[in-house]
Structures are given as C-alpha cells and as structure tokens.
Amino acid sequence: MVEVCVGVGFRAAAGSEDIVAAVRQVLTSANPGSETASETTLHCLSTLDRKAGEPALVDAAQALGVPVRGFAAGELAAVEVANPSERVRSATGSPSVAEAAAVLGAGGGPLIVTKWSANGVVVAAARKVS
C-alpha cells in the first residue's frame, strides 16, 4: 500500500465536490492499471497556507477523512517541481501550489502524479516518506 499526500490548488468558485472528485481522480492515477484508488492511502491534503481554511477545502478534507496542511508561499517556492507556472507565481508568490504542496505534505517524498486539473481544481500526488 502506498501512502500519499495530495497537493491542491483551487479557484474560489470550486466547491468541495470538485475538490473531492479531483483528489479521487489523482489517487486512481497513482495506481496505474487499477480501477480504484484502493491501493493508495490518502495521508493529507496540502495547499497554500492562506487557502487551507477555505470552506470548500475543509469540507473536502472532512469528506475524505484527512487533515489539511498549509504551507507558506516561500516554502512552496523552495520546492523544485515538474511544471512551474509564472501565472501561479504572480498570483501566489510560488511557481507551484499543487505539486510543491504535495511534496511538502509528503515530507519531501517524490512526486508520483504531476499536476492535473478539472473544474477549477489542480491536484498532484507525492509518496509519503517515513
């Protein structure tokens, strides 16, 4: 069984259902060849610290039974990611939210699913390290 942290970036219009659906999709992607996310255990959702208390994310985390971890823009910016974005940097102060937050939430573990987006939600997954 693989334990992962999912990094989440989202627009204000995104609802908790959108976040839950995106997280479930990225968990399924973490298990190539599997129809379900059953081989993966979700450890936490991670995001930019100023978004960590947003109701949509808090509700999604509650529905998924995991905590939310928030990281400062400077912490996120220090993580080298596969898909940096200047647009994200100008909006948040970090070139990545989802990928960097996943890595930090996983204790520095490797990114196993790069960013994927739908319905105003961007997610990525990293394998948790002990």
Side-chain angles (χ1 to χ4, degrees):
M1 185 134 341
V2 176
E3 194 170 20
V4 300
C5 180
V6 173
V8 182
F10 57 99
R11 295 188 177 159
S16 61
E17 304 83 16
D18 299 317
I19 296 170
V20 169
V23 169
R24 288 190 174 138
Q25 177 60 42
V26 80
L27 291 175
T28 299
S29 296
N31 290 296
S34 174
E35 293 297 316
T36 69
S38 64
E39 297 171 21
T40 303
T41 300
L42 181 61
H43 177 71
C44 69
L45 300 181
S46 297
T47 193
L48 182 64
D49 57 1
R50 67 179 185 241
K51 300 280 266 184
E54 291 287 326
L57 185 61
V58 171
D59 291 348
Q62 184 175 10
L64 294 164
V66 296
V68 174
R69 296 192 58 201
F71 296 96
E75 291 175 285
L76 296 172
V79 177
E80 190 171 324
V81 296
N83 300 291
S85 166
E86 283 306 314
R87 187 175 66 79
V88 172
R89 182 192 311 268
S90 68
T92 67
S94 170
S96 171
V97 172
E99 290 181 335
V103 169
L104 290 174
L111 200 60
I112 58 172
V113 180
T114 59
K115 72 180 181 180
W116 177 84
S117 65
N119 300 320
V121 180
V122 180
V123 290
R127 183 177 298 118
K128 187 176 181 308
V129 294
S130 306

